[in-house]
Amino acid sequence: MKILCIGRNYEEHAKELNNPVPERPVVFMKPASSMLVGNKPFYYPEFTKDLHYEGEIVLKIAKNGRHIQREFARDYFNEIAFGIDFTARDLQSELKKKGHPWELAKAFDGSAVLSEFISLDRVNRDAIEFQLSKNGEVVQHGNTRDMIFSFEDIIVFVSQYFKLLMGDLIFTGTPAGVGPVQPGDTLEGRIFTHDGPLKLLHCDIK
Ligand code: ZN
């Protein structure tokens, strides 16, 4: 399986990092070995001094497909999770400056934190509200209706390049409010369902 990630998909977040708003999706990947599931703790890596959280909605691909057409794009996912795209921001800035790929800063072990998946039937699928809190304080509050590229846009675009396989995951981008974490911090991710906010993700930084 593969993990595709979309960068700069919320205008306010692109601006906070002084990045231009993209004309087509910014895509990168994480290996399966980067996944951290089951609300296990995350161990702060030695190669960074500026580890950032990025809270994101993650899609799970429900069936195989390539060159997926827009009218069918919705049929390719029916579950979502709360994810954290951990990023070594200092390392990423260095790599960006040199024009190098981002993997060292974004695809390391534990960098893809994932909650359990819930059915899209439980949320307003065209406007999914979600929030990330750090030590009990809300630091990111997003709504997927503010994405530059919708879930369907993303599916159509990435499937022109990569055959999507059942079980593949797509991190769909982070809203404004990214920031650093330190050992001792706790992150919690919530998705707003028809029944109210649902705490799905808990991650202690060690
Ligand atoms: Zn991200």
Side-chain angles (χ1 to χ4, degrees), residues 6-17 19 52-58 81-85 87 89 106 128-133 138-148 151 171-179 190 192:
I6 307 301
R8 302 173 197 168
N9 202 20
Y10 289 81
E11 200 171 336
E12 293 302 315
H13 168 63
K15 284 183 188 157
E16 77 181 343
L17 295 184
N19 287 317
H52 276 207
Y53 56 79
E54 295 189 356
E56 313 199 0
I57 295 293
V58 181
F82 193 102
I84 299 173
D85 164 20
T87 303
R89 194 70 72 199
K106 283 232 180 230
I128 304 168
E129 199 182 336
F130 59 106
Q131 69 180 30
L132 181 74
S133 57
V138 176
V139 287
Q140 289 190 287
H141 193 130
N143 191 307
T144 57
R145 70 169 170 238
D146 299 322
M147 292 189 300
I148 298 166
F151 294 154
F171 278 68
T172 57
T174 198
V178 301
R190 287 178 173 77
F192 289 69

Side-chain angles (χ1 to χ4, degrees), residues 3-203:
I3 306 173
L4 294 160
C5 305
I6 307 301
R8 302 173 197 168
N9 202 20
Y10 289 81
E11 200 171 336
E12 293 302 315
H13 168 63
K15 284 183 188 157
E16 77 181 343
L17 295 184
N18 292 317
N19 287 317
V21 174
E23 283 163 25
R24 57 182 197 177
V26 173
V27 181
F28 57 96
M29 289 202 214
K30 293 177 187 264
S33 52
S34 68
M35 280 201 301
L36 182 66
V37 299
N39 289 333
K40 288 205 209 72
F42 174 86
Y43 289 87
Y44 199 105
E46 285 176 8
F47 49 76
T48 179
K49 291 187 168 53
D50 194 24
L51 181 78
H52 276 207
Y53 56 79
E54 295 189 356
E56 313 199 0
I57 295 293
V58 181
L59 304 181
K60 186 190 268 183
I61 297 300
K63 59 178 187 172
N64 298 357
R66 59 198 297 258
H67 296 289
I68 296 164
Q69 287 172 11
R70 173 162 305 274
E71 56 198 300
F72 303 118
R74 278 185 165 234
D75 304 337
Y76 284 82
F77 56 97
N78 51 30
E79 286 185 306
I80 55 167
F82 193 102
I84 299 173
D85 164 20
F86 270 129
T87 303
R89 194 70 72 199
D90 44 358
L91 198 48
Q92 188 196 26
S93 302
E94 218 176 281
L95 296 165
K96 276 160 79 173
K97 232 179 274 167
K98 292 181 185 158
H100 289 179
W102 293 357
E103 276 83 353
L104 292 178
K106 283 232 180 230
F108 50 85
D109 296 347
S111 63
V113 186
L114 280 166
S115 75
E116 63 177 296
F117 282 81
I118 61 167
S119 165
L120 271 177
D121 297 339
R122 297 182 63 182
V123 299
N124 175 1
R125 65 180 287 158
D126 295 313
I128 304 168
E129 199 182 336
F130 59 106
Q131 69 180 30
L132 181 74
S133 57
K134 181 173 111 173
N135 304 329
E137 187 193 328
V138 176
V139 287
Q140 289 190 287
H141 193 130
N143 191 307
T144 57
R145 70 169 170 238
D146 299 322
M147 292 189 300
I148 298 166
F149 302 102
S150 68
F151 294 154
E152 289 77 16
D153 293 336
I154 294 168
I155 297 279
V156 169
F157 181 78
V158 299
S159 71
Q160 293 173 51
Y161 297 82
F162 311 110
K163 181 178 184 180
L164 294 179
L165 300 174
M166 201 193 299
D168 285 350
L169 303 177
I170 304 180
F171 278 68
T172 57
T174 198
V178 301
V181 285
Q182 302 297 334
D185 287 343
T186 294
L187 297 172
E188 285 180 346
R190 287 178 173 77
I191 294 178
F192 289 69
T193 68
H194 299 309
D195 305 316
L198 177 65
K199 189 179 121 181
L200 282 167
L201 185 139
H202 178 103
C203 183

